[in-house]
Amino acid sequence: MQLMEEMILTHGKVLPGNILKVGSFLNQQIDTRLLRKCGEEILRLFSGCGITKVLTIEASGIALATATGLELDVPVIFAKKHITSNVDGDVYSTTVHSFTHNTDYSVVVSRDYLLPTDKVLLVDDFLANGAALRGLVALCAQANAQVVGAAIAIEKCFQGGGDALRASGLRVESLAEIESMEAGNIIFRS
Amino acid sequence: MQLMEEMILTHGKVLPGNILKVGSFLNQQIDTRLLRKCGEEILRLFSGCGITKVLTIEASGIALATATGLELDVPVIFAKKHITSNVDGDVYSTTVHSFTHNTDYSVVVSRDYLLPTDKVLLVDDFLANGAALRGLVALCAQANAQVVGAAIAIEKCFQGGGDALRASGLRVESLAEIESMEAGNIIFRS
């Protein structure tokens, strides 16, 4: 998606540790014009797939998931990172490793919201090693829900998670695919 | 807003400790039809106010803030609850007390995104004692940004935060105002 690539080149900052900072338009401050275009593009990519739910992990994927759900006209579900007092006991749960924070965390979603009849589109802002996305796939497997595919704003291809998931049979559509960003020089997959 | 009140009466659950669970349509699973209507109503309430930014706290306010930003056609900013490795050092910061989890947490927003020229609409899913909203007001004060008002999905009026903020001069618009919910019986403010 050309607009996403342009925004990354214009406003993204490459920080040490292969971190791409897109806080000015994607995950601290959201450019709603860009976000609407992302939702429209995801609708185009997955139209006719019979999607019934959008599933993301809090917190940074919520905005894109919301825009996608508004475009597809289906409910959006947030898998939560902690069991809070507002979550009933009856949940699907899996463990995800965060490479950013070097820690494991639990991801839970209520059994009431993810059903065997659901056709689920996974949405997240970033795809790097794929740990978060594998966690969402695991939650859907527990629910016997069908995963239609995954829609990602920015894939860091060089970290391999996206291609591994594609090799496993998951349809992964990333709006911008970064092949490398060595020395701060961002190269997109052609 | 009649639709919000109907959804609360039909799908909300009152749990011990004055907790209103609206996970099935507002903050774990989002009903996007409802969310779009909320965005439209907030646009109607604050049209002509010259709003330049929507500001919320992650995570449960993000969906409503996103829908609002899409309707108002302005950027959305998320104040973050922790300083992560993706946040630059130069932030506005304040401390908020969570009565739900009985703990204090830091709320930060980058100085790059909240400007003295901004007219800010605060958005959140719940308003109870008002601690989160006061935190957002404090961040805007640090930035010398003007707070136009606050748009809330559900206000628990009996916890007093909303009326205290109104008394302090803040315009607070809540799409559903719950006067009491004793013994699980939800009464709206008339």
Side-chain angles (χ1 to χ4, degrees):
Chain A
M1 181 183 175
Q2 192 177 347
L3 179 60
M4 181 65 81
E5 292 186 358
E6 287 172 5
M7 293 294 285
I8 292 168
L9 291 175
T10 308
H11 302 290
K13 289 182 196 171
V14 180
L15 303 182
N18 276 330
I19 291 172
L20 175 64
K21 189 168 181 286
V22 290
S24 66
F25 62 95
L26 192 64
N27 55 18
Q28 285 187 60
Q29 177 170 255
I30 293 272
D31 181 319
T32 48
R33 181 188 63 116
L34 172 67
L35 195 70
R36 187 180 291 107
K37 296 282 185 193
C38 291
E40 290 169 359
E41 176 66 6
I42 293 169
L43 171 63
R44 188 187 70 77
L45 288 164
F46 288 95
S47 70
C49 293
I51 291 161
T52 62
K53 299 262 172 74
V54 167
L55 175 64
T56 191
I57 294 188
E58 65 177 12
S60 60
I62 294 179
L64 181 61
T66 299
T68 302
L70 286 167
E71 283 294 331
L72 272 64
D73 210 19
V74 299
V76 178
I77 313 171
F78 312 135
K80 291 188 165 251
K81 283 187 181 170
H82 305 282
I83 294 178
T84 74
S85 58
N86 290 19
V87 175
D88 283 342
D90 215 6
V91 296
Y92 299 114
S93 173
T94 191
T95 301
V96 169
H97 182 72
S98 165
F99 289 84
T100 309
H101 301 100
N102 193 28
T103 181
D104 290 340
Y105 57 92
S106 290
V107 176
V108 301
V109 67
S110 169
R111 289 171 190 257
D112 292 341
Y113 310 143
L114 201 52
L115 307 175
T117 49
D118 276 325
K119 293 184 165 192
V120 180
L121 177 65
L122 313 178
V123 170
D124 211 352
D125 58 344
F126 271 97
L127 169 56
N129 55 72
L133 216 46
R134 284 195 299 276
L136 293 180
V137 169
L139 293 178
C140 290
Q142 290 176 33
N144 287 313
Q146 181 188 339
V147 178
V148 172
I152 305 293
I154 301 174
E155 178 178 346
K156 297 197 277 190
C157 304
F158 55 90
Q159 291 186 249
D163 288 338
L165 283 160
R166 290 184 185 97
S168 77
L170 184 70
R171 179 179 174 194
V172 179
E173 301 280 0
S174 300
L175 301 182
E177 297 177 305
I178 298 176
E179 196 67 82
S180 73
M181 48 187 212
E182 282 174 31
N185 187 27
I186 296 170
I187 309 289
F188 295 104
R189 182 177 277 185
S190 57
Chain B
M1 180 184 174
Q2 193 177 347
L3 179 60
M4 181 65 81
E5 294 187 356
E6 288 172 4
M7 294 293 285
I8 292 169
L9 291 176
T10 309
H11 301 290
K13 288 181 195 171
V14 180
L15 303 182
N18 277 330
I19 292 173
L20 176 64
K21 188 169 181 286
V22 290
S24 65
F25 62 95
L26 191 65
N27 55 16
Q28 286 188 58
Q29 177 171 257
I30 292 272
D31 180 320
T32 48
R33 179 188 63 115
L34 172 68
L35 195 70
R36 186 180 293 107
K37 296 281 185 193
C38 290
E40 290 169 359
E41 175 67 4
I42 293 169
L43 172 62
R44 187 187 70 78
L45 288 165
F46 287 95
S47 70
C49 293
I51 291 162
T52 62
K53 298 263 173 73
V54 167
L55 175 65
T56 190
I57 295 188
E58 66 177 10
S60 60
I62 294 179
L64 181 60
T66 299
T68 302
L70 286 167
E71 284 293 331
L72 273 64
D73 210 19
V74 299
V76 179
I77 315 171
F78 311 136
K80 292 191 165 248
K81 283 188 180 169
H82 305 283
I83 293 176
T84 74
S85 58
N86 291 18
V87 175
D88 283 341
D90 215 4
V91 296
Y92 300 114
S93 173
T94 191
T95 301
V96 170
H97 182 73
S98 165
F99 288 85
T100 309
H101 301 100
N102 193 27
T103 181
D104 289 340
Y105 57 92
S106 290
V107 175
V108 301
V109 68
S110 170
R111 288 169 190 259
D112 292 340
Y113 310 142
L114 201 52
L115 307 176
T117 49
D118 276 325
K119 294 184 165 192
V120 180
L121 177 64
L122 312 178
V123 170
D124 210 351
D125 59 343
F126 272 97
L127 169 55
N129 54 73
L133 216 47
R134 283 194 300 275
L136 294 180
V137 168
L139 293 177
C140 290
Q142 289 175 34
N144 287 314
Q146 180 188 341
V147 178
V148 172
I152 305 293
I154 300 173
E155 178 179 346
K156 296 197 278 189
C157 305
F158 54 90
Q159 291 185 249
D163 288 338
L165 283 159
R166 289 182 185 99
S168 78
L170 185 69
R171 179 180 175 193
V172 179
E173 300 280 358
S174 300
L175 302 182
E177 297 177 305
I178 298 176
E179 196 66 81
S180 72
M181 48 187 212
E182 282 174 31
N185 188 27
I186 297 171
I187 308 290
F188 294 105
R189 183 177 278 185
S190 54

